[in-house]
C-alpha cells in the first residue's frame, strides 16, 4: 500500500526586522540608514484544466537590504529492502528491511534591495516537493512512493502593493500547472 501525503494551506510569518516601526519611530541599520520594513507574500497555486486544486500562501517579513528564509516540511519514510544469504553457500535469502527518510515540503529564500523610489528587487529561490497521490503517481512504481519536485530561482522588481507572476511550470507526469505569484507591501 502506498503512503499518501496531503498538503493543506497555511501561512507562516518570519520576522527579520528588529523593533517596532511607528509613525514617529523608525529603526535603522548598522550604517544609520533607516530600514524599510517589507512584507513579501509568495502564493504557490496548482491548477488542472483551469480548476484550482490548491493555493498555499507564505508570508515573509524582512527589510530592504535584508534576507528571509522559510523551511517548512516533513520527513517521509521510504522502505528499502535488501536480501542477504541465510547461510554461507545457501540458496535461501533473508530479506532485510530498513527505512530511509526523504524531506518534502517548501523552502523559500528571499533577499531584497531598494532599487529606486518605492521599487524593490526581490531575489527568490523557491523549492517545493511532495509525494504524488496514488491516483497521480507514475505507473510501475509498486508500493514505493513517487516524489514530485519544483524549483525556481530568479529576481523580480516590485513596488509597494504590486503583485507579479514569478513563474509558471507544468508537471510532465500529471499535467498540473504550478503558478507562483509574489506580492510586496511596505509595512507602514
Amino acid at each position: 500500500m502506498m503512503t499518501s501525503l496531503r498538503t493543506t494551506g497555511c501561512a507562516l510569518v518570519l520576522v527579520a526586522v528588529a523593533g517596532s516601526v511607528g509613525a514617529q519611530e523608525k529603526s535603522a541599520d548598522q550604517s544609520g540608514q533607516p530600514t524599510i520594513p517589507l512584507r513579501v507574500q509568495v502564493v504557490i497555486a496548482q491548477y488542472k484544466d483551469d480548476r484550482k486544486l490548491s493555493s498555499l500562501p507564505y508570508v515573509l517579513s524582512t527589510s530592504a537590504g535584508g534576507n528571509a528564509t522559510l523551511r517548512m516540511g516533513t520527513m517521509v519514510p521510504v522502505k528499502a529492502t535488501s536480501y542477504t544469504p541465510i547461510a554461507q553457500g545457501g540458496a535461501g535469502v533473508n530479506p532485510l528491511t530498513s527505512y530511509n527518510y526523504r524531506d518534502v515540503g517548501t523552502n523559500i529564500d528571499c533577499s531584497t534591495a531598494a532599487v529606486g523610489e518605492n521599487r524593490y528587487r526581490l531575489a527568490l529561490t523557491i523549492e517545493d516537493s511532495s509525494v504524488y497521490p496514488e491516483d497521480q503517481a507514475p505507473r510501475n512504481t509498486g508500493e514505493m512512493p513517487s516524489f514530485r519536485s519544483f524549483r525556481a530561482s530568479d529576481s523580480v522588481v516590485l513596488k509597494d502593493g504590486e503583485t507579479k507572476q514569478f513563474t509558471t511550470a507544468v508537471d510532465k507526469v500529471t499535467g498540473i500547472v504550478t503558478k507562483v505569484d509574489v506580492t510586496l507591501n511596505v509595512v507602514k
Side-chain angles (χ1 to χ4, degrees):
M1 181 166 111
M2 181 182 250
T3 303
S4 174
L5 179 67
R6 306 255 179 210
T7 307
T8 59
C10 62
L12 180 63
V13 177
L14 298 177
V15 179
V17 178
S20 64
V21 179
Q24 272 81 24
E25 177 187 353
K26 292 203 183 233
S27 58
D29 65 12
Q30 292 177 349
S31 67
Q33 297 294 318
T35 59
I36 301 168
L38 302 174
R39 179 181 181 271
V40 179
Q41 180 175 348
V42 176
V43 177
I44 302 172
Q46 293 184 329
Y47 299 84
K48 178 76 175 188
D49 301 325
D50 295 326
R51 186 184 60 141
K52 187 184 284 189
L53 301 176
S54 69
S55 180
L56 301 171
Y58 301 93
V59 177
L60 299 95
S61 294
T62 186
S63 60
N67 299 307
T69 300
L70 177 142
R71 301 285 183 264
M72 186 172 174
T74 190
M75 296 179 79
V76 175
V78 178
K79 186 162 87 170
T81 304
S82 60
Y83 297 91
T84 58
I86 291 177
Q88 186 173 12
V93 291
N94 186 28
L96 176 63
T97 301
S98 63
Y99 292 89
N100 296 316
Y101 287 84
R102 177 152 175 185
D103 287 321
V104 296
T106 303
N107 298 325
I108 301 174
D109 295 309
C110 176
S111 63
T112 62
V115 293
E117 191 171 315
N118 296 324
R119 296 175 60 81
Y120 303 89
R121 178 180 312 280
L122 306 178
L124 291 164
T125 298
I126 301 166
E127 295 180 51
D128 188 65
S129 62
S130 62
V131 176
Y132 276 106
E134 286 184 36
D135 62 334
Q136 297 175 6
R139 297 179 192 258
N140 302 324
T141 59
E143 293 184 13
M144 299 302 292
S146 296
F147 297 90
R148 68 172 137 213
S149 64
F150 169 85
R151 179 179 164 91
S153 186
D154 203 353
S155 62
V156 62
V157 175
L158 297 170
K159 59 184 176 183
D160 184 22
E162 187 175 16
T163 299
K164 283 189 180 174
Q165 192 163 87
F166 181 69
T167 193
T168 300
V170 178
D171 184 309
K172 288 182 179 183
V173 175
T174 63
I176 291 176
V177 177
T178 299
K179 295 181 180 183
V180 178
D181 293 324
V182 180
T183 303
L184 173 80
N185 292 104
V186 176
V187 178
K188 298 176 180 154

